[in-house]
Amino acid sequence: KFQFFNQYDFYLSVNADKVDGNLVEYGHEAASRKILRVLNTALFARAKVITATTDSRRLKIGIKLLNTAYVSHRVTRGPSGSSEHVDLAKKFKKFWGKKVELRRFFDGSVVHACVWQGSNPFDIVMDICSYILKEHFNVKVTYPLNEMRYLVSSRTIDVVDMVKQANLAFESLTKFFKTADLKIPLKVAAVECNAAALRYSNLYPLQKHAQLSKDSSFDDGGKISGCTNYAPIVVNLKFDKSSKWPQEEAALKAAKLAFMIRIADHLPVTSFSNVNVLPSHFDFGYMGYSFRCVLNVEMEKSMQYHTMINAVHTRFVSSSSTLRLLQRWCASHLLSGLISLEVLECIVCRVYCDFEVNSTVTGFIRCLEFLTTFDFARNPLIVDPNNQFTGEKLADINEEFDKARGESYIDGPSVYIITPADEASKPSISSPERVILSRLLALSEMSLQHLFQCLKTNSHGNSWSKILRVSTASFANYSVLLRVDPNIICDKTCSSTDHLCSADSFDKGLRSSARGPSFLRQTLYKNIEQIDLLHGWQPVDEAIFKLRYRFGHLALFFYNQYMPEVICILWRPDAFKPAPFLARYSEFKRPIDVVGWSNDTLVVTNYEEVMAEIKYICRDIVVDIKVQNDNFLQPRMENARKKQKTAPVDIESDSHTDSSSEKEDETSSSNAVNSNDESSTEEESDDE
């Protein structure tokens, strides 16, 4: 039904009623044929396919661009200005109108040409379409969903160039470590880095910090941020092989620490700044960026994967922005960390290798469509952009997948991903939980239908932004809400609740990230050369990591990593189920009520102790805690007390009654979790 709206790189809409067409020359659909003929002439050598469909008196036109360098040219060249091409010049002027002018080029030629506005292929093609349709038919052109791409790109800032600058800094650092005399007994054989920021996968590209670089262009009234609020670029120093490394773990850590101290002491202060040595790594600033150095860590698999994704983003220019838009969408639905970056990268890579996509919005639509149509339960997600897998290898992968899934197709990881970096045909990328995957697929279906509706009805403004917003009512489905201190939130443009998207959202986010939190901003003075700087200041991400590590078996933690206004906790169905006592797993446990005892059910999770620990972990970042659902605790305890007072003493009957009531509590808790997910999905759908 909606195949037209996922086949082309971008779409435009015009009012066909205002176009006068010659039925004899153009046939029944005279207006649309006449417009398509003009567009085909105007976009010659830029567009591969131009197709139109009519709906509600408006003509929807889909354009698929050629993946060539000429698409980015801002000049349309015509015939020369010599007397030999007078007739061609007249035709050129007649078609292009007042836009034509004589221009001299670097090769010395003087030709008739048209110069267009825009810094990327889509802005240039849109300028051409708007002008030529206005010139020939006097109609206004609208571009549905066009503003969506500015969530991850800028009109004035070149994101690709910023990533290249970071890569140049890493290459310079690699050259330094390989050639410098660091006064250590072993030479550096290789310098490895698999940072997502260097393969075009970060939502915001890394910016040079004014304290870490003398050529930083950021100026905020003499103040700079006292931190870098992104994860430092991790580099791994691999030394020449030696048999003298200690075998014991404690001795090996001590030897590495001694190496790091010696290296840090011999880093030149003219190039390196803010060096901090820690037991497992050392941080430093170099060429404006924050780096984190580790020693002799095995990174062979991750480097193969890093090279593969980087090659895909280099080959398909829009794949990077599509991935970053997909990250933004997942984060807006509070799924940050629950779906790893590697899973999203593999989905985007698979889409771009299977389909011909040249635009951010169409790539995003294709990814949503892939999520809703691909059967993750019965098929492995094979990502092989360079066709490295042979037929025998693919057969091995499918065989291993069938063994992992089992006969009922419910075993193994929820998303079985295989890349050329995986050995033995077994996945190494962490898969999301099944409940998270189900939620992701439901959100994909709703968002996809809403985007198709926006394209079909030619919705104006930012009505598409509803797919990036969580309804306020859906927060009632969570068990506990932790309100994060707004003072530690840097970027205000990525909110999940109050999402006011605009064409400069990305620019605002970049500036906010560079400024950092207000209470950490410091004033620069001429007589002070260096200030203390915090590397990788991400307090909310660190708190979430601790919460999931300590209590991931009891609850799911939802948050938006780009604007963590609130942390939502949803208890698992069996979080407070009575269990047998085991000394090994006795942390956060307490004895159950006397009347609740039954065979092998002596303890239960101590809700008060768990909440106290959560409060302690979040003590510096959370300003308010709201408990919305504790019905699974109080009614059971009150009923137990009533039974103690009223019921006769009958151990066997009490045991039987309590065990049956526990089963009922378990069933109702599981149903409550399922209803929470369903009601959240329904409320978001109604809101859209």
Side-chain angles (χ1 to χ4, degrees):
K1 183 178 179 180
F2 296 110
Q3 282 187 350
F4 177 78
F5 295 113
N6 62 9
Q7 298 292 326
Y8 303 97
D9 295 327
F10 74 98
Y11 300 87
L12 55 93
S13 176
V14 298
N15 190 350
D17 291 344
K18 296 182 179 181
V19 180
D20 296 329
N22 189 334
L23 294 177
V24 177
E25 182 179 0
Y26 295 101
H28 178 67
E29 298 179 349
S32 61
R33 292 177 182 272
K34 194 172 183 179
I35 290 176
L36 291 179
R37 181 173 179 178
V38 170
L39 287 176
N40 275 292
T41 304
L43 299 179
F44 175 75
R46 296 181 189 268
K48 182 178 181 179
V49 179
I50 304 177
T51 312
T53 181
T54 305
D55 186 17
S56 301
R57 296 184 179 181
R58 296 205 54 97
L59 185 65
K60 308 293 192 308
I61 301 173
I63 299 177
K64 181 176 286 296
L65 300 180
L66 289 170
N67 191 17
T68 60
Y70 182 75
V71 179
S72 302
H73 287 187
R74 295 180 57 240
V75 178
T76 300
R77 299 182 62 164
S80 65
S82 63
S83 58
E84 299 177 358
H85 302 98
V86 175
D87 294 338
L88 293 176
K90 288 182 178 179
K91 292 181 180 179
F92 189 79
K93 291 180 180 179
K94 183 180 179 181
F95 182 79
W96 292 106
K98 299 178 181 179
K99 198 75 173 178
V100 180
E101 57 183 352
L102 277 174
R103 297 181 66 91
R104 181 183 295 275
F105 293 88
F106 290 106
D107 58 0
S109 61
V110 179
V111 300
H112 293 86
C114 300
V115 181
W116 309 106
Q117 302 296 323
S119 57
N120 58 74
F122 298 99
D123 289 338
I124 294 171
V125 172
M126 286 168 54
D127 189 27
I128 294 174
C129 294
S130 298
Y131 170 79
I132 203 65
L133 294 180
K134 180 73 174 178
E135 178 73 17
H136 283 260
F137 307 110
N138 194 27
V139 294
K140 184 179 180 181
V141 184
T142 58
Y143 301 92
L145 303 188
N146 175 59
E147 296 294 327
M148 184 185 293
R149 60 192 174 101
Y150 291 115
L151 291 175
V152 293
S153 62
S154 170
R155 299 179 188 268
T156 58
I157 300 174
D158 189 352
V159 176
V160 175
D161 182 67
M162 295 180 68
V163 178
K164 289 181 178 178
Q165 291 295 325
N167 276 283
L168 289 175
F170 169 68
E171 293 174 4
S172 176
L173 183 66
T174 301
K175 183 178 179 180
F176 169 81
F177 278 127
K178 286 185 176 181
T179 58
D181 183 12
L182 301 174
K183 306 298 181 181
I184 53 178
L186 296 177
K187 290 185 178 180
V188 177
V191 181
E192 299 175 332
C193 179
N194 62 354
L198 300 188
R199 62 174 183 259
Y200 306 90
S201 295
N202 270 17
L203 175 61
Y204 293 122
L206 302 185
Q207 302 178 80
K208 291 185 177 181
H209 194 281
Q211 179 62 27
L212 305 178
S213 173
K214 296 181 180 180
D215 60 345
S216 175
S217 59
F218 179 74
D219 183 16
D220 188 26
K223 291 187 176 183
I224 62 172
S225 174
C227 68
T228 57
N229 54 1
Y230 59 84
I233 303 173
V234 179
V235 294
N236 177 35
L237 300 185
K238 299 198 73 173
F239 298 104
D240 291 335
K241 293 183 179 180
S242 174
S243 60
K244 296 183 179 181
W245 285 103
Q247 298 299 320
E248 296 182 0
E249 184 178 357
L252 181 60
K253 289 182 179 180
K256 288 186 176 182
L257 180 58
F259 267 67
M260 290 189 291
I261 294 175
R262 179 63 64 88
I263 293 173
D265 289 340
H266 290 84
L267 294 177
V269 295
T270 56
S271 302
F272 294 81
S273 61
N274 295 93
V275 182
N276 299 320
V277 181
L278 299 173
S280 60
H281 61 268
F282 67 97
D283 299 331
F284 57 87
Y286 182 75
M287 292 183 65
Y289 302 101
S290 177
F291 286 89
R292 176 163 293 170
C293 188
V294 296
L295 305 183
N296 272 3
V297 176
E298 184 59 41
M299 296 176 60
E300 183 178 356
K301 285 186 178 181
S302 60
M303 285 304 301
Q304 293 179 8
Y305 174 82
H306 173 82
T307 303
M308 179 191 74
I309 298 299
N310 187 52
V312 170
H313 289 167
T314 304
R315 177 182 172 189
F316 305 102
V317 179
S318 65
S319 62
S320 169
S321 54
T322 297
L323 169 64
R324 291 184 283 117
L325 183 57
L326 192 61
Q327 290 182 72
R328 177 80 177 267
W329 174 77
C330 287
S332 67
H333 291 287
L334 311 179
L335 297 177
S336 296
L338 297 173
I339 301 172
S340 66
L341 172 62
E342 289 76 14
V343 172
L344 300 181
E345 285 178 326
C346 289
I347 291 174
V348 173
C349 183
R350 176 66 180 268
V351 167
Y352 270 80
C353 292
D354 289 354
F355 306 101
E356 185 179 0
V357 182
N358 294 319
S359 73
T360 302
V361 177
T362 303
F364 178 67
I365 291 176
R366 281 287 192 182
C367 289
L368 295 181
E369 193 173 38
F370 178 82
L371 286 170
T372 58
T373 57
F374 189 81
D375 190 354
F376 291 98
R378 297 182 177 273
N379 297 286
L381 180 56
I382 302 175
V383 181
D384 184 22
N386 298 321
N387 297 323
Q388 296 176 243
F389 290 151
T390 61
E392 183 179 356
K393 181 67 174 179
L394 293 174
D396 292 341
I397 292 173
N398 286 303
E399 182 179 355
E400 290 292 335
F401 171 78
D402 292 337
K403 291 180 181 178
R405 276 287 184 264
E407 296 181 358
S408 57
Y409 291 96
I410 59 175
D411 300 328
S414 61
V415 180
Y416 195 94
I417 302 177
I418 295 294
T419 69
D422 297 321
E423 297 179 358
S425 303
K426 295 183 179 180
S428 60
I429 297 176
S430 60
S431 174
E433 297 187 37
R434 296 187 184 279
V435 63
I436 300 300
L437 179 62
S438 300
R439 183 169 180 80
L440 178 68
L441 300 184
L443 291 171
S444 299
E445 179 66 26
M446 290 193 310
S447 299
L448 186 65
Q449 296 301 325
H450 182 73
L451 291 179
F452 282 150
Q453 190 66 22
C454 290
L455 287 170
K456 184 178 180 181
T457 59
N458 192 38
S459 300
H460 296 287
N462 60 350
S463 59
W464 48 265
S465 66
K466 290 182 179 179
I467 68 169
L468 300 171
R469 184 164 58 87
V470 177
S471 63
T472 306
S474 64
F475 285 101
N477 298 314
Y478 295 101
S479 305
V480 182
L481 300 180
L482 309 179
R483 181 69 59 183
V484 177
D485 186 354
N487 292 323
I488 68 175
I489 299 176
C490 300
D491 184 11
K492 306 291 185 180
T493 64
C494 297
S495 174
S496 298
T497 55
D498 185 18
H499 201 87
L500 300 178
C501 301
S502 61
D504 59 347
S505 295
F506 188 75
D507 294 340
K508 290 180 179 179
L510 277 176
R511 289 194 296 268
S512 300
S513 299
R515 289 167 59 92
S518 58
F519 62 89
L520 286 180
R521 293 170 64 195
Q522 302 185 35
T523 303
L524 287 177
Y525 298 98
K526 294 182 179 180
N527 59 337
I528 300 179
E529 295 182 357
Q530 183 172 314
I531 63 174
D532 294 332
L533 188 72
L534 297 175
H535 292 277
W537 187 78
Q538 297 175 303
V540 179
D541 293 342
E542 292 177 3
I544 289 291
F545 176 81
K546 293 179 181 178
L547 290 174
R548 287 174 175 166
Y549 178 77
R550 296 292 302 277
F551 306 110
H553 62 292
L554 297 177
L556 293 170
F557 297 88
F558 299 84
Y559 84 117
N560 180 347
Q561 69 181 99
Y562 302 114
M563 189 177 175
E565 304 167 282
V566 62
I567 300 173
C568 303
I569 302 177
L570 184 64
W571 300 117
R572 295 183 184 275
D574 58 348
F576 300 96
K577 177 183 177 182
F581 174 78
L582 296 173
R584 185 178 179 183
Y585 302 106
S586 60
E587 187 179 21
F588 303 114
K589 298 293 184 180
R590 65 168 178 81
I592 62 175
D593 296 331
V594 176
V595 295
W597 286 359
S598 61
N599 293 333
D600 295 331
T601 56
L602 299 177
V603 295
V604 69
T605 300
N606 191 339
Y607 172 79
E608 291 77 11
E609 187 179 3
V610 170
M611 287 303 302
E613 184 68 15
I614 290 176
K615 291 178 183 179
Y616 178 77
I617 293 175
C618 302
R619 62 191 181 279
D620 295 326
I621 64 172
V622 170
V623 296
D624 184 35
I625 297 179
K626 182 179 181 181
V627 178
Q628 301 190 124
N629 180 16
D630 59 356
N631 295 331
F632 52 88
L633 294 174
Q634 299 301 328
R636 178 179 59 81
M637 297 175 66
E638 291 175 0
N639 291 337
R641 295 191 184 98
K642 291 179 180 179
K643 289 179 181 179
Q644 279 184 325
K645 295 179 179 179
T646 59
V649 179
D650 188 347
I651 298 177
E652 294 182 358
S653 61
D654 285 347
S655 175
H656 176 73
T657 304
D658 292 333
S659 61
S660 62
S661 64
E662 288 166 5
K663 292 181 180 180
E664 294 176 358
D665 289 343
E666 177 186 354
T667 304
S668 62
S669 176
S670 177
N671 293 336
V673 172
N674 294 331
S675 65
N676 284 345
D677 290 339
E678 293 175 0
S679 62
S680 175
T681 304
E682 291 174 358
E683 287 171 355
E684 292 172 5
S685 178
D686 295 339
D687 184 61
E688 292 180 2

